[in-house]
Amino acid sequence: MSQSPQEEGAINATTARNTLYALVKLAEEEGRTTVITKHRVRALLAPLDRFPAARKTEAFPAHVLSAAQKDFGDLVTLAAQGQPQVLMRNSTPVAVLLPADPSPDVLSSDMAAHPGAATAGGAVNSQGHQNRGSAPRRLATLGDAIGSVLTDGPVGGPTFGLPGLDAATGGLQRGKLTLVAARPSVGGSLLGLAAARKTALVDRCTVLYAASGPNRDDIFRRIIAAEAGGEYARLKQGRLTEHEQQVARQLVQAGDLLMIDDGSDLTAEDIRETAPHMEGLALVVVDRLQAANSARLPLSGDRLPDASQVLATLARTLHVPVLAIVDSDDSALLGLLDADVTLTLTPTEDPAKVQVVVAERDFGTIGSAYLQPDLVHARFLDAGAAPLERADSPAGSGRSAAAGGTAALELAEAALPYTSGGHQGIPAALTHELAAWRTAVATGDQEALKEILPSLLRAAATVAAMPDTHEGHRLVAALRPYGTPVSADTTAGAGQSAAATAHAPADNGLAQADVAEDEEDSKDGLAPGDEEDEPKGHVFPALKILKDAVGRSKMHPVPVIRKEQRDSGPWPLITEHMDGEPRWVHPDVTATRVPHIRANGKRVRRDQLDVPDSFGEGVLCLIDRNGSFPSACSAVPLAPNVLKHTGPLDAYDKAGAGIYLIGIPEWTRTDMPHPLGRIIDRPDEDGRVWVTTPHVKQLEKLVRDRHLGAMPTIHDSWTGKYNESLFKPFYEATRKARTELVQTGGDPYKAYKTRLSIALRLLWPKRPSQRSPFWRPDWRMSMVAEASVRHWTVAFKAVQEGHTLVALRNVDQAIFWTPPGTSPSTYRIGTGFGEVKRKFVQAGEIIPEGDD
């Protein structure tokens, strides 16, 4: 075996023994080969890539490093004589001693040696038997572990290049499988790309990028977008600026260390077979594992647990970090994948921040960080670590005071085991509230804490029993101060008792209506027993009417998706953001949140709008649409049966309904919000969003009317047979009851609104403990999206007639700047469905709440 250019000058066996750990590290990390001499013989201390057969330790003598160091001289002699000696860290092969000047048949003959050949050094047979059919297990000594730690230094390996996240993780650990868990569109793949870019382009180390999701062209465009700051959507069209072209040329010259293996047929076994042949491999990235089963993707569905085991074994065998992205944050799936380290990405209430919680298998949550999504440029930006300092620590005193005191901080810390997914046992609704609480504490948002507290306490009150664990007991203790009246410094700054606050509805002015019939509440708003039919003689048996409407349909609807199916297929793709609510204020108008005291003495916050002089003389005309949700039920397009995967579509098929993955169409008008509303706030890393049928139909109409240049491409879809009449009987009954009861008012009308709201919310109950005759999130979101589309469309007609829209919020609130006493003619004033109420207020005055 001739000496390679990487071989260092020869050193004697004594020197090599004293520096063995350092030499092995050079072999692992840099692929360096060292010539070792002993008297008249020579051996090579080489990386495993020089002799891949050494990875099968049962075929050759193998020694843990501490034992090898003790008998190193003998091992050099044996290796020089043609008997390869494998060196291991713990039970993982890390290097091999080979003959420096072998005869032609030395290695080939030894490769056929009996697996049970005697080993030198202090290798330990864990069973004490040499005549077993399989090779004896070898145990590392404490000296081996200590020597490795002293030589290796920090345990971290490659990093993400994001300081806050790198501080929370300590880097990607060699020999371990790290999982990035994130729902679609949160950006999990971008973390894998960040680590690959940092390792290959900055650290100049080899990366294997195994792409079963994006192809190599997508990956290259994302790298250019991230490195050059170019718009990824534009790069996909092949339009590069001169600067981007220059960056691309530089990447071509420097990118030989980033090796991409793509294709829909990629398997974990393919990755395992490819990785050992890559010289100096420092990182393996697998992008990505798909939670939903796909026949064309081996790395998907129920094949993921086996694939995860293969990847974990690869990490241990090669002693390199393996980073895999999975498009789900479902705790049950993550438990099956059993990674060494899990990074869970969770959107926060602030769309400019994503929280990453770091958990290790044996230690639970070990850190947390915030990232700033920059999806336009296919990357994350650093937003700092997210420690929750204790209130009594010097570092934490300022933050804890701003965030509501010691009790608020303790509740945030007690919530972490559950919000991170490290522990189970509490309902999803409570987990959601606790996550929002942690974010508000971390950012010092006192007002957010005040608004979160009532719904958090309601969610906690529905829990029959907290987990009987240390974490469960701590959470109970942390909630206890909020169960009785307490002083202002421990009630998130509310200035009143938590008990009183808990029973008052959240009040956000324009941002959220006051528990009205049309309010979309992502926190469910349901309670045990709501699923029961109304008693006989009830003023409005809404749930019974809705069940009858579905049951009488000739299309034989499927009202409930079984629990075991909800974590796959289209269902994890559906979120509240698909409602398309606008939540928009004119860019020239200043909106301010100001304190306000209701007639009942409750302190709330309301919106105050200041209109510029350029708008001319006028007043604010407040439009409140009646019954937006039940009105939408008159003709909401949806699929009554289970959605099927129909993939990319050349054009929208009017015979189908469901959900569609589309690019975001360009909207240049500043006098109207984007037609897709808040859907556009959270695109995936490719700049695409999932929408329901009402918004697809809306976009088609805008294209026909030439308000949009072209219909966006449909990249993926899940659809079923189109239907508009499923909820029509419910709509007819609701309209008739409203006509009768709105004049009556009082308790009968309140009972009508309550049962109407409950029936529609039961289409998609969020809490697992909440029983319901329904579980169809696509029905629920299609209905809300239809209401949003109608709301937007009527406002757009008013703008086209020359009216100035000041704000458009939720599915029922619009504010125009008009002459006193005049409202846009596109709206009909009245109390029925499809009609509106109106009020006039002066600019700068408090925007009053609705009083339907």
Side-chain angles (χ1 to χ4, degrees):
M1 183 177 294
S2 62
Q3 184 169 322
S4 73
Q6 285 185 294
E7 293 174 2
E8 294 293 307
I11 60 176
N12 62 47
T14 300
T15 302
R17 179 178 62 230
N18 293 336
T19 59
L20 180 61
Y21 287 95
L23 294 176
V24 168
K25 185 176 181 181
L26 290 173
E28 285 183 274
E29 297 183 2
E30 300 181 12
R32 185 172 299 180
T33 299
T34 305
V35 180
I36 301 170
T37 62
K38 181 185 178 186
H39 303 306
R40 296 183 180 180
V41 300
R42 298 197 316 160
L44 298 179
L45 177 60
L48 295 177
D49 289 346
R50 292 290 295 271
F51 192 50
R55 301 184 193 282
K56 300 179 180 180
T57 56
E58 69 270 16
F60 302 97
H63 321 270
V64 292
L65 289 176
S66 58
Q69 194 171 39
K70 177 182 177 182
D71 298 297
F72 193 68
D74 294 338
L75 301 186
V76 170
T77 299
L78 290 170
Q81 293 172 352
Q83 302 177 39
Q85 307 292 313
V86 181
L87 306 182
M88 301 191 302
R89 179 178 290 107
N90 300 327
S91 60
T92 303
V94 291
V96 62
L97 285 168
L98 299 171
D101 303 292
S103 60
D105 59 346
V106 164
L107 291 181
S108 60
S109 63
D110 271 277
M111 286 177 65
H114 191 278
T119 59
V124 180
N125 182 337
S126 63
Q127 300 298 326
H129 299 289
Q130 295 293 339
N131 57 355
R132 298 176 59 205
S134 60
R137 295 182 62 80
R138 303 182 183 280
L139 308 179
T141 67
L142 178 60
D144 184 29
I146 293 175
S148 176
V149 169
L150 292 177
T151 305
D152 286 354
V155 298
T159 62
F160 295 96
L162 299 163
L165 181 59
D166 291 334
T169 59
L172 291 164
Q173 300 177 38
R174 298 184 184 92
K176 292 191 175 183
L177 171 62
T178 298
L179 205 63
V180 174
R183 297 195 304 273
S185 80
V186 177
S189 290
L190 299 186
L191 275 191
L193 195 63
R197 286 168 37 221
K198 173 64 164 53
T199 305
L201 304 180
V202 179
D203 299 338
R204 303 295 299 154
C205 296
T206 302
V207 176
L208 171 58
Y209 200 100
S212 68
N215 60 40
R216 63 190 64 187
D217 292 337
D218 288 334
I219 295 167
F220 187 55
R221 292 187 190 102
R222 292 176 188 180
I223 292 174
I224 296 176
E227 294 293 321
E231 296 178 3
Y232 175 64
R234 175 171 49 77
L235 294 179
K236 290 189 70 174
Q237 301 172 3
R239 296 185 288 124
L240 279 71
T241 65
E242 183 176 347
H243 170 64
E244 291 161 356
Q245 293 177 12
Q246 182 180 357
V247 170
R249 287 190 290 268
Q250 294 172 347
L251 290 175
V252 170
Q253 296 172 1
D256 56 345
L257 295 172
L258 179 56
M259 310 297 290
I260 301 172
D261 186 358
D262 63 354
S264 60
D265 59 346
L266 187 66
T267 68
E269 288 75 17
D270 292 334
I271 301 168
R272 180 183 62 190
E273 292 175 5
T274 301
H277 300 289
M278 299 185 63
E279 185 174 350
L281 182 64
L283 172 66
V284 177
V285 177
V286 181
D287 182 9
R288 57 194 172 263
L289 310 179
Q290 183 172 297
N293 185 64
S294 174
R296 65 183 182 87
L297 290 179
L299 294 178
S300 69
D302 57 9
R303 289 163 285 188
L304 293 188
D306 290 340
S308 179
Q309 291 184 17
V310 171
L311 297 175
T313 302
L314 172 64
R316 291 192 296 271
T317 302
L318 298 187
H319 195 58
V320 298
V322 175
L323 179 67
I325 292 89
V326 59
D327 63 352
S328 172
D329 59 3
D330 178 66
S331 57
L333 174 61
L334 301 184
L336 291 175
L337 300 186
D338 194 29
D340 299 296
V341 180
T342 301
L343 312 182
T344 304
L345 276 68
T346 306
T348 68
E349 296 297 326
D350 181 358
K353 278 188 177 182
V354 171
Q355 185 173 20
V356 186
V357 175
V358 185
E360 284 196 10
R361 179 195 289 123
D362 298 327
F363 294 96
T365 300
I366 62 171
S368 179
Y370 285 117
L371 299 176
Q372 178 183 339
D374 183 14
L375 302 184
V376 172
H377 302 119
R379 63 189 177 185
F380 280 114
L381 303 177
D382 184 59
L388 289 173
E389 303 95 345
R390 298 201 63 84
D392 53 1
S393 69
S397 56
R399 173 176 287 184
S400 63
T406 305
L409 189 57
E410 172 58 24
L411 179 54
E413 292 185 342
L416 180 57
Y418 297 98
T419 59
S420 67
H423 291 263
Q424 306 298 314
I426 64 174
L430 179 56
T431 304
H432 178 89
E433 298 295 343
L434 290 173
W437 183 268
R438 278 182 49 78
T439 299
V441 170
T443 57
D445 192 339
Q446 205 171 30
E447 294 302 327
L449 287 173
K450 181 173 66 174
E451 294 180 354
I452 293 167
L453 183 59
S455 52
L456 190 158
L457 294 180
R458 285 195 295 270
T462 65
V463 181
M466 289 289 188
D468 188 16
T469 61
H470 169 74
E471 291 77 15
H473 297 162
R474 183 182 182 186
L475 182 58
V476 170
L479 286 165
R480 191 169 295 125
Y482 295 98
T484 56
V486 288
S487 60
D489 65 337
T490 57
T491 59
Q496 57 185 346
S497 75
T501 306
H503 297 290
D507 194 323
N508 296 328
L510 281 178
Q512 183 175 344
D514 287 341
V515 195
E517 63 176 293
D518 299 333
E519 178 190 11
E520 162 63 3
D521 186 359
S522 63
K523 300 172 181 60
D524 203 314
L526 296 170
D530 282 345
E531 74 281 358
E532 300 293 337
D533 284 352
E534 297 82 0
K536 187 175 182 179
H538 191 279
V539 64
F540 184 61
L543 181 57
K544 185 178 184 305
I545 293 171
L546 184 59
K547 288 165 59 178
D548 289 345
V550 172
R552 293 201 307 267
S553 172
K554 296 180 180 179
M555 297 190 71
H556 306 291
V558 178
V560 179
I561 303 301
R562 295 198 302 269
K563 289 184 178 180
E564 60 268 22
Q565 297 177 325
R566 296 177 186 177
D567 294 329
S568 61
W571 315 116
L573 304 173
I574 300 173
T575 70
E576 284 89 355
H577 272 71
M578 292 170 70
D579 57 18
E581 290 184 3
R583 304 188 178 186
W584 176 86
V585 174
H586 193 289
D588 295 335
V589 172
T590 302
T592 308
R593 301 284 286 159
V594 297
H596 176 66
I597 301 178
R598 284 179 172 175
N600 62 5
K602 184 182 186 302
R603 300 184 60 174
V604 295
R605 294 177 68 82
R606 283 277 174 252
D607 284 281
Q608 177 179 293
L609 300 179
D610 292 308
V611 177
D613 294 339
S614 60
F615 279 30
E617 295 294 327
V619 295
L620 295 172
C621 175
L622 280 55
I623 300 293
D624 183 13
R625 299 179 68 230
N626 300 324
S628 295
F629 287 170
S631 291
C633 290
S634 63
V636 53
L638 48 78
N641 299 107
V642 176
L643 303 181
K644 296 182 179 180
H645 192 206
T646 43
L649 301 176
D650 294 334
Y652 165 60
D653 181 3
K654 296 181 180 180
I659 64 173
Y660 308 83
L661 181 64
I662 65 172
I664 299 175
E666 184 179 7
W667 182 256
T668 58
R669 300 186 65 135
T670 59
D671 55 355
M672 278 292 297
H674 195 286
L676 296 182
R678 67 169 179 164
I679 294 176
I680 68 173
D681 294 341
R682 293 187 178 178
D684 66 11
E685 50 265 38
D686 294 327
R688 306 172 303 188
V689 292
W690 284 97
V691 300
T692 55
T693 309
H695 278 108
V696 173
K697 293 183 64 178
Q698 177 195 31
L699 296 179
E700 278 212 321
K701 186 176 187 306
L702 290 173
V703 171
R704 287 197 307 270
D705 295 342
R706 299 185 179 181
H707 299 299
L708 286 178
M711 189 66 186
T713 301
I714 300 177
H715 299 281
D716 199 1
S717 63
W718 291 80
T719 61
K721 190 173 181 181
Y722 185 100
N723 177 271
E724 280 190 355
S725 61
L726 185 64
F727 297 148
K728 190 167 185 178
F730 177 77
Y731 159 75
E732 296 288 357
T734 304
R735 184 182 63 173
K736 179 180 179 182
R738 178 186 175 91
T739 303
E740 297 172 354
L741 294 171
V742 73
Q743 303 300 329
T744 305
D747 290 340
Y749 185 56
K750 290 181 180 178
Y752 156 83
K753 291 198 299 178
T754 299
R755 291 309 301 180
L756 171 60
S757 177
I758 288 173
L760 294 178
R761 291 173 192 275
L762 282 170
L763 288 171
W764 187 18
K766 307 300 193 304
R767 291 179 291 117
S769 59
Q770 177 67 56
R771 298 177 61 191
S772 172
F774 302 101
W775 197 89
R776 284 301 296 260
D778 55 325
W779 292 0
R780 169 69 178 175
M781 297 320 301
S782 294
M783 182 266 294
V784 181
E786 177 68 16
S788 294
V789 168
R790 295 184 183 192
H791 182 40
W792 189 94
T793 300
V794 178
F796 189 36
K797 289 179 179 178
V799 171
Q800 289 178 291
E801 290 186 359
H803 295 281
T804 301
L805 182 65
V806 173
L808 195 67
R809 300 289 183 89
N810 296 338
V811 297
D812 57 0
Q813 299 171 342
I815 301 177
F816 291 87
W817 184 250
T818 67
T822 304
S823 58
S825 59
T826 55
Y827 293 94
R828 291 183 292 123
I829 309 301
T831 59
F833 286 166
E835 297 178 330
V836 303
K837 298 177 294 295
R838 66 177 184 177
K839 291 181 180 179
F840 297 96
V841 301
Q842 297 296 323
E845 291 185 2
I846 298 294
I847 303 298
E849 57 205 77
D851 58 353
D852 186 28

